[in-house]
Amino acid sequence: PVPVEAGDGAVYTPLLTHDVQVDVLERLDFVLRNISELRKEVEELRNSLQHLAAEIVGEVRSHLEETQKVTRRRRFLFPRERSDSVGSGSIYFTASSGTANTDDGESEGGYTTANAESDYDRESERESEEAEDEVSCETVRTARRDSLDLVNEDETHLILDSSLEEGLGQLLQQADRLHNGDEQEKREGFQLLLNNKLAYADQKDFLWRLARAHSDMCEITDDTDEKRSYASDGKEELEIALQKWDQSAECHQWYAILCGQLSEHESIQKRIQTGYVFKEHIDKAIELKPEDPKSYYLLGRWCYQVSHLGWLEKKTAAALFEAPPTATVQDALQNFLRVEELSPGFSKAGRVYIAKCYRDLGNNSAAVLWMNLASELPVHTKE
């Protein structure tokens, strides 16, 4: 109401009549009801979009997995031959790179460690090619990113964590298959891991596999500078990893291997120092994972080569260090036999070393027996 005239006796009259007021209230009530209904419809639509986004991501993953399975069945109709990738990386005074003599006139020029892989790991088939995997991973990540705008914050974290975990699992399986393949497959595996380093650089199982891939590249390349570079880069990756995951047997194991490979290009003093580091990390790997045959194989190689050090090498080690490394043929034999106990036929080279140990100990019948057992493994390696 507004006053018609000023003063104490002003008379007020309503601006709107009663009927008009009722009409306005009814209209306001109608608008409020519509707003409430609209809110409900928006909430229902939002929930539907969330479910739709999750279904799309799930369907994309299922399709990619099925495509990879079909590709593997189509490309590998016959099983690949088993192969043993027991390549050597020298620790001390190595006369030749990547080989180990097995005859009676073998050199006493040094002792080496080996990048040993079990024969039973060679049964697995390789995954799709690198480009296919990159497309697969990128497709899943794209679908995941597109769906993040449709979910709330909590659901975003759940989907992100689940997708990363699943993507990492598939990537690690692919890397393992390529690592167990030929030289070309090892190169593909190395590139695959490099392409995904930005996404998974904070994952322990990714990092030690990346370091392992550096070791593979060090083994297969012929260029000396490239060998040194690959070994150095892989060693640096594990130095970072060990600061956070000191209780990882694989990190210690591959750190020791890469140290051995890098020492091939170092001075005699540096190689001797590396030998102590190698032994320390292999012992730690065995402590953390006592059922891993590869660690015992590496320790057996170390013991065998130490037991066959030449006079000059022993004198050099004694002059540089108060306690030179010591090991006997019997020590090496016990480690190699432990490998066979944990995984019979783990390595062709391992059985050859058992035969060599028995020969050195004067048990020629046992040496012949183990050479025959070694010949039963259809494996061909550099050694």
Side-chain angles (χ1 to χ4, degrees), residues 115 179 186 211-221 254:
N115 170 4
H179 166 70
K186 292 180 188 296
R212 182 183 66 182
H214 278 86
S215 176
D216 289 341
M217 295 300 295
C218 180
E219 284 289 330
I220 64 182
T221 187
W254 286 100

Side-chain angles (χ1 to χ4, degrees), residues 66-81:
E66 184 61 28
T67 300
Q68 291 175 351
K69 291 178 181 178
V70 172
T71 302
R72 289 197 298 270
R73 288 196 295 268
R74 182 174 66 251
R75 295 178 59 193
F76 302 103
L77 299 179
F78 302 96
R80 189 174 65 233
E81 291 185 1

Side-chain angles (χ1 to χ4, degrees), residues 77-242:
L77 299 179
F78 302 96
R80 189 174 65 233
E81 291 185 1
R82 301 163 68 196
S83 63
D84 188 1
S85 64
V86 185
S88 65
S90 88
I91 293 287
Y92 309 96
F93 317 102
T94 304
S96 60
S97 173
T99 61
N101 297 324
T102 57
D103 53 63
D104 289 340
E106 69 179 87
S107 169
E108 293 186 356
Y111 53 105
T112 63
T113 65
N115 170 4
E117 293 300 321
S118 62
D119 292 340
Y120 58 77
D121 286 339
R122 307 308 180 208
E123 300 292 345
S124 62
E125 299 174 346
R126 68 175 180 178
E127 193 72 61
S128 305
E129 302 218 0
E130 176 187 341
E132 178 180 310
D133 292 311
E134 293 176 9
V135 172
S136 300
C137 293
E138 185 60 29
T139 302
V140 172
R141 293 193 185 104
T142 301
R144 185 180 67 243
R145 288 195 299 267
D146 292 343
S147 68
L148 292 183
D149 295 334
L150 305 176
V151 297
N152 59 37
E153 184 176 354
D154 294 337
E155 291 170 336
T156 298
H157 288 302
L158 291 175
I159 293 178
L160 183 61
D161 294 342
S162 176
S163 299
L164 286 175
E165 183 178 353
E166 183 175 351
L168 176 61
Q170 294 176 352
L171 176 65
L172 298 185
Q173 290 179 7
Q174 175 73 353
D176 289 341
R177 292 189 182 94
L178 293 173
H179 166 70
N180 292 329
D182 56 24
E183 290 188 1
Q184 181 57 35
E185 290 172 314
K186 292 180 188 296
R187 295 180 190 276
E188 293 175 5
F190 174 70
Q191 192 61 47
L192 174 66
L193 291 171
L194 281 184
N195 291 342
N196 287 273
K197 182 178 178 181
L198 184 62
Y200 301 110
D202 59 343
Q203 299 295 320
K204 174 192 66 177
D205 291 334
F206 176 87
L207 279 180
W208 72 256
R209 283 175 171 83
L210 178 59
R212 182 183 66 182
H214 278 86
S215 176
D216 289 341
M217 295 300 295
C218 180
E219 284 289 330
I220 64 182
T221 187
D222 295 324
D223 185 82
T224 301
D225 291 336
E226 289 184 359
K227 283 181 176 290
R228 183 187 297 109
S229 178
Y230 284 127
S232 177
D233 291 346
K235 181 171 174 283
E236 289 177 2
E237 295 286 357
L238 284 178
E239 285 175 347
I240 297 174
L242 285 172

Side-chain angles (χ1 to χ4, degrees), residues 231-331:
S232 177
D233 291 346
K235 181 171 174 283
E236 289 177 2
E237 295 286 357
L238 284 178
E239 285 175 347
I240 297 174
L242 285 172
Q243 293 177 3
K244 187 175 182 180
W245 298 293
D246 184 58
Q247 298 303 305
S248 169
E250 290 81 7
C251 287
H252 284 284
Q253 188 180 85
W254 286 100
Y255 184 80
I257 292 172
L258 285 160
C259 283
Q261 291 175 321
L262 185 60
S263 71
E264 293 182 9
H265 314 287
E266 303 288 352
S267 64
I268 291 179
Q269 180 177 356
K270 185 65 175 178
R271 275 180 274 171
I272 295 175
Q273 292 174 336
T274 302
Y276 288 99
V277 175
F278 176 89
K279 178 65 162 51
E280 175 187 353
H281 284 275
I282 288 299
D283 287 343
K284 184 65 174 180
I286 292 176
E287 176 187 343
L288 294 171
K289 198 173 182 180
E291 302 304 315
D292 186 354
K294 181 164 62 178
S295 294
Y296 291 99
Y297 174 84
L298 293 170
L299 183 57
R301 286 288 302 271
W302 185 89
C303 291
Y304 188 85
Q305 297 298 339
V306 168
S307 69
H308 284 74
L309 282 177
W311 178 86
L312 178 61
E313 293 143 349
K314 291 179 180 179
K315 289 296 184 181
T316 302
L320 294 174
F321 300 94
E322 295 182 359
T326 58
T328 66
V329 173
Q330 188 65 40
D331 294 332

